[in-house]
């Protein structure tokens, strides 16, 4: 049996005295797509950031491919991350944004890195924007560049923290389409999002968080049609209204 | 520029005030003696420039090294930064110059090291260290102004701390840091005048020596001020040009 891609067992996380995560248990198998939702401040971002070590945890265990991660360990470049605010490097061109990691961290030659970058730009459908600065692109295009930048590191696992929340409505679908394709290609994905259409279509597992806890998790069918907890039902009725 | 015009006007005004007050002959380049004097005064320019450039270069390097622990998440590292900055910032330049020039060699000797510190290096070290507390603060503020998301994004694509600084943070911070850093350089040029008191042959020292032999302080110090003014204006123009170049290159988000 292969190890799960992610295993979180009883993970606690504090900011000072404030407990942000309370005994988080979450298992993500290879190739599985998990969608996390929940009200603002419930700890969704913190879960994702603990997985790739942007945050440390204070108790419990986190394993990636069976390997326990530690605080001293470096941020893992085999875990891709896409942020709500894109976080593209504004002083570099799109192509340079994509080749920086492969050249500096993976040791590829510039030529190899550019071939790889153009391949993934093609994949997110903006090959023609390679030489522009990020500020000259639309929000949707910027987020697709950010996805391509992660893909250039050829990660085993991709984390998305509200990738469409900062976008104008008409640009959301172009980003979700790219993510859906990625899911169909078999990428292991953990996605924090309130895009429930996307979740229904793509998720293998839905996770609902509130106040630092996983309140409910299950298949999309069970989750959407028969939520067990009151809190979850309330949350769903609120976001599905819009 | 406006300052320059004002200054020139002031000079012209006082010059026509009374023939006895001013004795421009002492630096009149048309006379043999005046020309010799002018050349003597200007010959300190090279030393002032070299001193300032070296001190600024060292200050900018040391400042960066001091700024980095100030950005750490660890309190201990931040404390190192605070102590250095607060301590160095509170020492007046002149006492520090004396301490380095007269005191430091004694410490070196007590360790069995025979490192003489001449006026030039004494001044370079003092100016650089004294200024580094200010450049450290400039770097720290500039780097902090780059959003945290930038370094997080850099880390998620596998860059280590130094690569993140080198390729992501510093190039962006530099644009914001440049104007205050240029101010600091101008400050160093002006403060380099203190080197004259430990006998370094720079602009101010030359002026002092000429005043002693010619006894014409008004004219000689006036010329001295103009010399600094010209230096500072040249730096200002250069910085303005540099800012325009960097600004237009990176009209980013
Ligand atoms: N660096 C920090 N220091 C202190 N508290 C923090 C920090 N980061 C997050 N928090 C707090 O931790 C809690 C969970 O934050 P988190 O960002 O994980 O929530 P979230 O579910 O992602 O919310 P949102 O939907 O608003 O993004 C919030 O109450 C937040 O205020
Ligand atoms: Mg969040």
């Amino acid at each position: 049996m292969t190890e799960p891609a992610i295993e979180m067992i009883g993970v606690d996380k504090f900011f000072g005295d404030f407990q942000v995560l309370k005994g988080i248990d979450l298992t993500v198998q290879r190739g599985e797509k998990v969608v996390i939702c929940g009200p603002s401040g419930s700890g969704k971002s913190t879960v994702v950031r603990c997985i790739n070590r942007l945050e440390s945890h204070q108790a419990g265990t986190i394993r990636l491919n069976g390997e326990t991660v530690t605080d001293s360990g470096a941020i893992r470049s085999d875990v891709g991350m896409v942020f709500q605010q894109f976080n593209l490097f504004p002083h570099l061109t799109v192509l340079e944004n994509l080749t920086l990691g492969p050249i500096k961290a993976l040791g590829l030659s510039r030529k190899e890195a550019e071939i790889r970058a153009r391949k993934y730009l093609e994949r997110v459908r903006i090959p023609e924007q390679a030489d522009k600065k990020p500020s000259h692109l639309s929000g949707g295009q910027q987020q697709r560049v950010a996805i391509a930048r992660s893909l250039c590191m050829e990660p085993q696992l991709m984390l998305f923290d509200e990738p469409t929340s900062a976008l104008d409505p008409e640009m959301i679908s172009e980003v979700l389409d790219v993510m859906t394709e990625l899911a169909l290609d078999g990428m292991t994905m953990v996605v924090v999002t309130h895009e429930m259409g996307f979740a229904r279509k793509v998720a293998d597992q839905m996770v609902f968080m509130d106040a630092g806890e996983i309140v409910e998790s299950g298949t999309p069918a069970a989750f959407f049609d028969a939520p067990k907890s009151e809190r979850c039902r309330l949350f769903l009725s609120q976001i599905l209204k819009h | 520029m406006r300052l320059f015009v004002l200054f020139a006007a002031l000079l012209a005004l006082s010059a026509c005030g009374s023939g006895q007050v001013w004795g421009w002959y002492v630096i009149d380049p048309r006379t043999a003696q005046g020309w010799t004097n002018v050349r003597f005064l200007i010959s300190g320019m090279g030393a002032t420039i070299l001193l300032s450039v070296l001190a600024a270069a060292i200050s900018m390097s040391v400042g960066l090294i001091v700024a980095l622990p100030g950005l750490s998440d660890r309190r201990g590292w931040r404390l190192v930064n605070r102590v250095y900055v607060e301590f160095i910032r509170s020492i007046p330049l002149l006492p520090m110059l004396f301490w380095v020039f007269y005191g430091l060699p004694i410490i070196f000797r007590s360790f069995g090291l025979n490192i003489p510190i001449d006026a030039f290096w004494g001044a370079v070290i003092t100016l650089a260290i004294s200024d580094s507390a200010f450049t450290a603060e400039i770097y720290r503020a500039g780097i902090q102004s780059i959003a945290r998301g930038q370094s997080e994004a850099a880390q998620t694509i596998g860059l280590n701390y130094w690569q993140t600084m080198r390729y992501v943070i510093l190039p962006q911070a530099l644009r914001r840091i440049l104007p205050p850093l240029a101010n600091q350089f101008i400050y160093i040029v002006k403060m380099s005048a203190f080197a004259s008191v430990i006998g370094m042959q720079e602009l101010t020292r030359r002026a002092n020596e000429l005043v002693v032999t010619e006894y014409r302080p008004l004219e000689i110090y006036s010329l001295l001020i103009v010399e600094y003014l010209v230096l500072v204006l040249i730096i200002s123009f250069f910085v303005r040009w540099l800012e325009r170049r960097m600004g237009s290159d990176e009209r980013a988000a």
Side-chain angles (χ1 to χ4, degrees):
Chain A
M1 199 186 101
T2 59
E3 306 278 0
I6 308 171
E7 241 181 323
M8 299 179 83
I9 305 163
V11 172
D12 289 343
K13 160 86 191 159
F14 293 84
F15 282 120
D17 290 336
F18 178 59
Q19 185 164 10
V20 194
L21 297 183
K22 301 167 186 162
I24 298 293
D25 295 310
L26 178 68
T27 304
V28 181
Q29 301 297 339
R30 283 187 205 169
E32 197 180 5
K33 290 89 181 106
V34 175
V35 169
I36 303 178
C37 61
S40 181
S42 56
K44 307 178 298 291
S45 299
T46 310
V47 166
V48 164
R49 292 163 59 85
C50 278
I51 293 171
N52 76 345
R53 309 319 296 149
L54 283 174
E55 302 285 357
S56 59
H57 59 287
Q58 276 73 50
T61 307
I62 300 178
R63 290 196 201 106
L64 298 181
N65 289 326
E67 198 182 313
T68 304
V69 299
T70 55
D71 278 352
S72 55
I75 306 253
R76 312 197 32 149
S77 62
D78 57 347
V79 177
M81 173 95 175
V82 175
F83 301 86
Q84 181 176 352
Q85 298 300 339
F86 325 139
N87 292 342
L88 294 176
F89 308 131
H91 60 300
L92 302 178
T93 64
V94 166
L95 196 67
E96 289 164 343
N97 265 274
L98 268 59
T99 54
L100 184 61
I103 292 174
K104 301 300 170 195
L106 303 179
L108 264 59
S109 72
R110 175 164 302 280
K111 193 143 171 272
E112 292 168 316
E114 284 186 3
I115 290 169
R116 187 185 277 197
R118 290 189 192 279
K119 179 174 97 183
Y120 287 113
L121 275 182
E122 198 86 48
R123 183 121 169 231
V124 299
R125 307 202 197 99
I126 35 174
E128 72 284 359
Q129 310 288 358
D131 299 318
K132 291 195 184 161
K133 289 277 172 74
S135 56
H136 295 288
L137 304 184
S138 73
Q141 290 173 326
Q142 289 189 44
Q143 191 59 299
R144 285 186 281 152
V145 171
I147 293 173
R149 181 176 65 181
S150 282
L151 288 173
C152 281
M153 299 299 291
E154 313 216 308
Q156 307 194 6
L157 159 68
M158 294 263 294
L159 309 172
F160 296 81
D161 189 1
E162 307 208 31
T164 57
S165 299
L167 296 178
D168 294 335
E170 70 271 18
M171 295 170 182
I172 290 177
S173 67
E174 66 188 49
V175 171
L176 291 181
D177 287 348
V178 165
M179 290 169 61
T180 306
E181 252 174 53
L182 203 59
L184 292 176
D185 281 350
M187 176 66 75
T188 311
M189 291 163 68
V190 176
V191 185
V192 176
T193 185
H194 292 160
E195 293 297 327
M196 290 303 145
F198 170 82
R200 244 182 221 281
K201 192 160 57 177
V202 167
D204 301 308
Q205 188 187 164
M206 290 296 303
V207 170
F208 172 70
M209 288 188 67
D210 192 14
E213 291 172 311
I214 293 183
V215 176
E216 189 164 337
S217 69
T219 62
F223 182 82
F224 287 112
D225 301 331
K228 292 187 284 268
S229 67
E230 189 52 40
R231 276 192 282 183
C232 188
R233 213 166 310 156
L234 193 67
F235 176 76
L236 283 177
S237 73
Q238 272 167 0
I239 60 168
L240 292 178
K241 250 194 314 228
H242 306 303
Chain B
M1 204 59 221
R2 225 176 298 152
L3 203 76
F4 188 74
V5 173
L6 198 84
F7 186 77
L10 203 76
L11 272 188
L13 212 88
S14 43
C16 50
S18 154
Q20 271 112 53
V21 174
W22 296 84
W24 288 115
Y25 69 88
V26 66
I27 48 167
D28 185 346
R30 288 166 303 186
T31 68
Q33 188 54 44
W35 178 230
T36 309
N37 287 347
V38 168
R39 273 195 327 211
F40 178 73
L41 286 173
I42 291 181
S43 66
M45 187 76 87
T48 289
I49 292 175
L50 188 63
L51 170 61
S52 304
V53 167
L54 262 178
I58 296 173
S59 163
M60 285 174 197
S61 320
V62 173
L64 182 58
I65 293 169
V66 172
L68 294 179
L71 296 157
S72 170
D73 290 333
R74 304 249 165 91
R75 191 173 297 173
W77 282 118
R78 286 206 306 272
L79 193 68
V80 171
N81 167 276
R82 282 333 299 163
V83 168
Y84 182 93
V85 169
E86 295 301 338
F87 181 70
I88 297 296
R89 204 160 52 172
S90 53
I91 308 174
L93 193 64
L94 202 49
M96 186 150 147
L97 189 62
F98 290 145
W99 192 89
V100 168
F101 186 59
Y102 298 110
L104 198 55
I106 300 176
I107 292 186
F108 282 159
R109 268 200 302 280
S110 77
F111 284 107
L113 298 164
N114 193 18
I115 307 174
I117 294 184
D118 62 12
F120 178 74
W121 284 106
V124 168
I125 294 170
T126 307
L127 278 173
I129 296 302
S130 161
D131 191 61
S132 67
F134 294 92
T135 43
E137 288 295 272
I138 292 170
Y139 280 119
R140 196 170 62 87
I143 291 172
Q144 266 168 353
S145 74
I146 304 301
R148 193 188 183 96
Q150 288 289 306
S151 71
E152 290 186 347
Q155 286 169 293
T156 58
I157 56 164
L159 302 194
N160 64 29
Y161 178 79
W162 294 108
Q163 292 170 328
T164 300
M165 279 294 159
R166 164 74 183 79
Y167 298 109
V168 176
I169 306 298
L170 287 180
Q172 296 182 62
L174 206 61
R175 230 178 95 217
R176 299 178 199 193
I177 287 173
L178 194 66
L181 225 43
N183 265 341
Q184 238 13 67
F185 183 49
I186 289 171
Y187 181 79
I188 285 191
V189 170
K190 295 194 287 184
M191 288 303 133
S192 70
F194 276 114
S196 62
V197 302
I198 54 170
M200 188 182 152
Q201 294 289 332
E202 42 67 75
L203 286 176
T204 305
R205 177 75 179 192
R206 287 283 149 107
N208 280 339
E209 288 181 356
L210 197 64
V211 166
V212 170
T213 54
E214 294 285 351
Y215 210 69
R216 271 286 168 191
L218 182 57
E219 297 73 16
I220 292 170
Y221 287 136
S222 296
L223 182 61
L224 178 63
I225 288 174
V226 172
E227 285 176 301
Y228 281 111
L229 206 61
V230 167
L231 259 185
V232 168
L233 283 177
I234 290 173
I235 299 168
S236 297
F237 279 125
F238 177 69
V239 169
R240 206 88 39 85
W241 172 81
L242 205 65
E243 267 172 39
R244 257 201 311 276
R245 244 194 56 163
M246 295 181 74
S248 59
D249 269 354
E250 298 179 16
R251 281 203 46 153

